[in-house]
Amino acid sequence: DLLKIVYDVAAVRSDYLRLHQRLFHISAGGLLDNLSRRHTRGSLTDRQELDELGRRLSRALDGLTQLKEEDLSIRRGREIQIALCAYAQALSESMAALATLLESRQPPHGGGRNQAPGQSQVTRIAYDDAVQYHNRLGARLNALLTTL
């Protein structure tokens, strides 16, 4: 079960990275895809996609806390569980920071400014810090997983 949860968290991370790439790395094909996706009936908004990723990650975290001793009997199982839990929480914080960043990019309904001039920069820095932190924890987790 521990390895299944590792794969679940890896799938969430992969989908999160795809969303991050789409939002922050501009290419001609990406712009066309983004424009057509926004007008496609039934497609998820970026915020809805983040919410769904958050629910999937939350289920994985719940599964981590419910693991039995036999699930942790693999080599370094307890260490992996602890590292994966810390990583999943850090990834969750990155996704929350991305949601805040997305909200700050949305124009308010009154047509005025949404954030104070320096607040946008603070929001971007907080997101970058969260991403760097979950990347560091991911490198540690990856090192543990390669020693199985």
Side-chain angles (χ1 to χ4, degrees), residues 5 8 39 42 47 54-55 64 71 75 99 106 110 116 123 129-130 141 148:
I5 295 171
D8 291 345
H39 300 294
R47 180 57 200 223
R55 285 189 289 276
L64 271 174
D71 296 323
R75 183 173 180 223
Q106 295 293 325
T123 304
D129 288 347
L141 177 61
L148 283 179

Side-chain angles (χ1 to χ4, degrees), residues 11-131:
V12 169
R13 179 182 182 271
S14 175
D15 291 344
Y16 158 78
L17 286 176
R18 196 175 359 263
L19 177 63
H20 175 90
Q21 285 284 108
R22 189 174 68 235
L23 292 171
F24 296 107
H25 297 284
I26 297 176
S27 69
L31 284 174
L32 289 174
D33 179 52
N34 198 20
L35 289 172
S36 64
R37 186 180 64 83
R38 294 231 186 265
H39 300 294
T40 303
R41 189 178 283 261
S43 66
L44 295 177
T45 66
D46 295 332
R47 180 57 200 223
Q48 289 171 324
E49 200 170 332
L50 265 178
D51 290 344
E52 175 58 28
L53 290 175
R55 285 189 289 276
R56 287 172 48 201
L57 193 57
S58 179
R59 285 192 300 270
L61 276 166
D62 289 345
L64 271 174
T65 61
Q66 296 171 3
L67 289 175
K68 297 175 181 72
E69 280 304 314
E70 61 264 13
D71 296 323
L72 302 173
S73 63
I74 63 170
R75 183 173 180 223
R76 302 179 97 172
R78 180 68 65 189
E79 277 182 86
I80 292 170
Q81 179 195 29
I82 292 167
L84 184 59
C85 188
Y87 175 78
Q89 288 172 343
L91 181 57
S92 179
E93 290 170 14
S94 290
M95 290 189 308
L98 180 56
T100 301
L101 188 59
L102 287 174
E103 288 171 12
S104 73
R105 292 171 128 188
Q106 295 293 325
H109 293 292
R113 292 189 68 119
N114 199 20
Q115 284 188 339
Q119 189 62 35
S120 178
Q121 183 69 16
V122 169
T123 304
R124 279 187 244 128
I125 290 170
Y127 176 62
D128 187 54
D129 288 347
V131 168

